Amino acid sequence: MADPESKEVEMYQEKEKAVAEADKTEAEAGKNQVEAEEEEEKGDRPVRVYADGIYDLFHFGHARSLEQAKKAFPNTFLLVGCCSDEVTHKYKGKTVMTETERYESLRHCKWVDEVIPNAPWVITKEFLDEHKIDYVAHDSLPYADASGAGNDVYEFVKAIGKFKETKRTEGISTSDLIMRIVKDYNQYVMRNLARGYTRKDLGVSYMKEKRLRVNMEFEKLYDKVKQQQEKVGKKLGLLHDEWVENADRWVAGFLEKFEEGCHQMGTVIKERIQESLLKGQPRGFSLLQYEDDE
């Protein structure tokens, strides 16, 4: 006969085992649910990429770098930081556009999802956490930080593996555009004086303005003379082309007329000779007739 107490213990153990298995099954189901939710969230959540700069005289070189940052991942949310005038003038120099103009230019770029004004010169962990930034995109050239020691502003993000390199577009940069303006400075000043800007608007001295205005008049006179020369040259060119095109026909026509004239002259001469011979010779005698008879 089985011991009632041992039987009760056995039943209790089986119950505990069943409960443990149920708990395990529930835990595994919960874990799978969390993992599925995480995967779903990871798949739906865009990668937050950050690009920063000054973006003065915003040009297609800037746009192409932002395009590369935007296309770094299949699903990207691009944040673009733009430094303020105060920070930029302190660490880089005078800008052509104001910070407001630069912010607005970025907002109108189709690759940009969000603009962060007054962006920091040096990126920190706190800044990355604040904006939930996954990667920082920029060209690989080192940029000096605010320490004055020549350290790279992207040294931190490069060290933690969150740096995405973009390529610069050759042949275009803000510095290049400014150099073009400086190179043709007089031309731009003259053009704007002609449009009605004053010398004070353009920061030009009185003597400089007068000299440029005289140059403008000489330029106009030169253009008129050049146009007249081109017109005369065009007419001469047309005459030359017409002669080349019709020379053979004209020469042939002249020779034809000359030959016809010679023939007519020969006929007249023959008639005159015949008349003279008839007058001086016996009636019925003709030299021409004699020649014909031969």
Side-chain angles (χ1 to χ4, degrees):
M1 183 175 178
D3 186 359
E5 185 175 350
S6 61
K7 188 176 181 180
E8 184 178 349
V9 170
E10 185 178 349
M11 290 176 62
Y12 178 78
Q13 289 177 343
E14 290 178 355
K15 184 178 180 181
E16 287 290 323
K17 184 178 179 181
V19 170
E21 289 179 353
D23 290 342
K24 183 180 179 181
T25 302
E26 184 178 353
E28 288 180 352
K31 182 180 179 182
N32 292 337
Q33 178 66 25
V34 170
E35 289 178 351
E37 290 176 356
E38 288 179 349
E39 286 297 323
E40 183 180 357
E41 181 182 357
K42 184 178 179 181
D44 292 342
R45 176 185 177 275
V47 179
R48 294 173 67 84
V49 177
Y50 175 76
D52 63 350
I54 309 303
Y55 302 107
D56 194 18
L57 296 178
F58 190 82
H59 51 74
F60 69 88
H62 292 138
R64 284 183 176 177
S65 68
L66 296 177
E67 178 184 6
Q68 294 175 58
K70 178 69 175 177
K71 294 180 178 179
F73 300 94
N75 187 12
T76 302
F77 186 88
L78 181 60
L79 303 97
V80 180
C82 188
C83 299
S84 66
D85 286 346
E86 180 181 0
V87 171
T88 303
H89 297 169
K90 180 178 179 181
Y91 294 115
K92 190 168 184 178
K94 178 71 173 175
T95 57
V96 177
M97 300 170 68
T98 66
E99 59 185 42
T100 303
E101 292 169 336
R102 293 185 284 115
Y103 299 157
E104 195 64 19
S105 296
L106 286 166
R107 290 190 180 100
H108 285 79
C109 178
K110 70 177 184 178
W111 309 113
V112 179
D113 295 304
E114 180 182 339
V115 175
I116 301 177
N118 194 23
W121 191 257
V122 180
I123 300 172
T124 62
K125 182 180 183 301
E126 291 73 22
F127 182 79
L128 296 179
D129 293 341
E130 178 185 354
H131 296 281
K132 298 180 175 59
I133 296 169
D134 298 311
Y135 292 94
V136 175
H138 205 277
D139 63 77
S140 60
L141 293 176
Y143 285 79
D145 63 10
S147 67
N151 298 323
D152 187 3
V153 295
Y154 301 106
E155 184 177 354
F156 168 68
V157 290
K158 289 177 179 178
I160 63 175
K162 290 191 172 185
F163 185 81
K164 281 287 181 182
E165 181 182 351
T166 58
K167 300 295 182 182
R168 296 175 65 90
T169 301
E170 295 297 328
I172 184 69
S173 70
T174 300
S175 298
D176 290 338
L177 295 177
I178 293 174
M179 285 304 298
R180 293 182 200 177
I181 296 171
V182 172
K183 180 182 177 182
D184 297 322
Y185 168 75
N186 285 346
Q187 294 292 330
Y188 290 115
V189 172
M190 289 168 65
R191 183 177 71 181
N192 285 296
L193 285 172
R195 289 179 175 176
Y197 287 90
T198 67
R199 64 179 183 83
K200 291 183 179 180
D201 294 331
L202 301 172
V204 176
S205 68
Y206 175 81
M207 292 302 297
K208 178 78 171 179
E209 179 195 8
K210 296 305 177 186
R211 187 164 64 251
L212 290 176
R213 288 194 182 278
V214 171
N215 288 339
M216 287 170 61
E217 295 303 321
F218 274 116
E219 287 284 344
K220 291 178 182 178
L221 180 60
Y222 173 78
D223 289 340
K224 288 182 179 179
V225 172
K226 187 177 180 181
Q227 289 174 8
Q228 192 63 29
Q229 288 176 338
E230 289 176 352
K231 287 181 180 178
V232 173
K234 188 175 182 180
K235 289 181 180 179
L236 292 175
L238 288 174
L239 290 173
H240 176 268
D241 294 341
E242 187 178 359
W243 164 254
V244 170
E245 182 179 351
N246 298 295
D248 291 342
R249 182 170 58 83
W250 286 345
V251 169
F254 171 76
L255 293 176
E256 184 179 344
K257 292 291 184 183
F258 181 78
E259 184 179 357
E260 182 181 349
C262 290
H263 176 73
Q264 292 176 353
M265 185 181 297
T267 302
V268 171
I269 292 173
K270 286 181 179 181
E271 290 177 351
R272 294 289 175 87
I273 293 173
Q274 186 176 10
E275 289 177 1
S276 299
L277 290 173
L278 289 173
K279 291 178 180 180
Q281 296 292 334
R283 189 175 180 84
F285 176 81
S286 172
L287 180 61
L288 293 178
Q289 183 179 359
Y290 173 76
E291 291 177 352
D292 293 337
D293 293 338
E294 290 183 339

